[in-house]
Amino acid sequence: GGTFDVSILKVKGNRFEVIAVDGDFHLGGDDFDLLLVEHLVEILQKQTKQDMGIFRALLTKEKKENVSKELLLAKQQLKEIAEQAKKDLSESDTTHVQVPNILGTSLDEEISLKAYNRLITPLVDKTVAKMNAVLKAAKMKKGDIDRVILVGGSTRNRLVKERVAETIKEPYISE
């Protein structure tokens, strides 16, 4: 949930040789969830016309004193909803999020895969840049890679798979 890693390995028989490794500790599934949470906060802010500054501060993982239980509960609800929506959008073109009572209002929103992909494009771009940097560090080209294996939750994301396929080759998804 918190990191993206790229490893290039040379495999001969049972022998694995590490050619290049790199990663981004600020590029994982939680980061994809946070973008959706921020999107939902914007929707809530438009609905309620309230100042959501305190809530936004919570999203940045900064510790704030005197935070109400209502705000902490709302944050947890949105994180859970965002994670489920992300999972739903790995298999469907739309998902529906609904919270009957959150911060004095209700949330009832349809999220399309297209809208979600727009939100996460900057993270996917960072993923592609990291893959290219590892290839460059290994002094390799995409044609030198025999197989791309994706591991982890975010690899179920359709945009990630598409961009990996465009950048290197069609990935194999490890379950």
Side-chain angles (χ1 to χ4, degrees):
T3 186
F4 171 72
D5 300 304
V6 178
S7 302
I8 298 178
L9 305 173
K10 185 175 187 175
V11 181
K12 278 194 173 185
N14 290 335
R15 190 169 152 239
F16 291 78
E17 179 185 349
V18 177
I19 305 298
V21 177
D22 199 358
D24 187 333
F25 294 109
H26 304 290
L27 183 58
D30 291 346
D31 300 295
F32 287 77
D33 296 348
L34 184 58
L35 288 175
L36 260 178
V37 169
E38 290 171 351
H39 176 69
L40 296 174
V41 166
E42 287 175 15
I43 292 167
L44 287 171
Q45 189 170 12
K46 286 176 187 173
Q47 283 180 201
T48 64
K49 308 278 191 249
Q50 293 181 47
D51 175 23
M52 300 295 274
I54 295 171
F55 192 78
R56 287 190 185 285
L58 277 175
L59 296 177
T60 62
K61 300 178 184 175
E62 295 174 14
K63 291 187 177 182
K64 295 291 178 187
E65 295 182 25
N66 302 324
V67 176
S68 72
K69 287 183 182 179
E70 179 186 27
L71 207 52
L72 291 173
L73 178 62
K75 176 185 177 183
Q76 187 59 39
Q77 286 176 305
L78 289 177
K79 284 176 90 174
E80 289 171 6
I81 287 166
E83 184 176 6
Q84 186 58 52
K86 173 184 73 176
K87 290 175 182 177
D88 292 347
L89 290 168
S90 70
E91 298 177 10
S92 177
D93 290 340
T94 60
T95 189
H96 192 87
V97 296
Q98 188 174 21
V99 183
N101 184 14
I102 185 166
L103 301 174
T105 189
S106 62
L107 179 65
D108 189 358
E109 192 71 23
E110 185 100 347
I111 300 172
S112 70
L113 179 62
K114 185 176 180 178
Y116 176 63
N117 284 347
R118 267 195 314 272
L119 289 173
I120 66 167
T121 291
L123 295 182
V124 177
D125 289 346
K126 286 175 67 175
T127 300
V128 170
K130 185 59 69 177
M131 289 186 307
N132 285 328
V134 173
L135 278 171
K136 185 176 179 179
K139 297 179 176 137
M140 298 176 81
K141 294 181 172 59
K142 69 180 189 176
D144 298 328
I145 302 297
D146 293 325
R147 179 180 266 186
V148 174
I149 302 172
L150 300 181
V151 179
S154 294
T155 62
R156 291 176 183 85
N157 180 295
R158 292 191 266 176
L159 185 58
V160 169
K161 289 187 274 192
E162 288 171 17
R163 294 289 300 277
V164 168
E166 290 168 5
T167 305
I168 301 176
K169 64 173 36 181
E170 193 67 36
Y172 169 81
I173 310 299
S174 174
E175 297 285 329

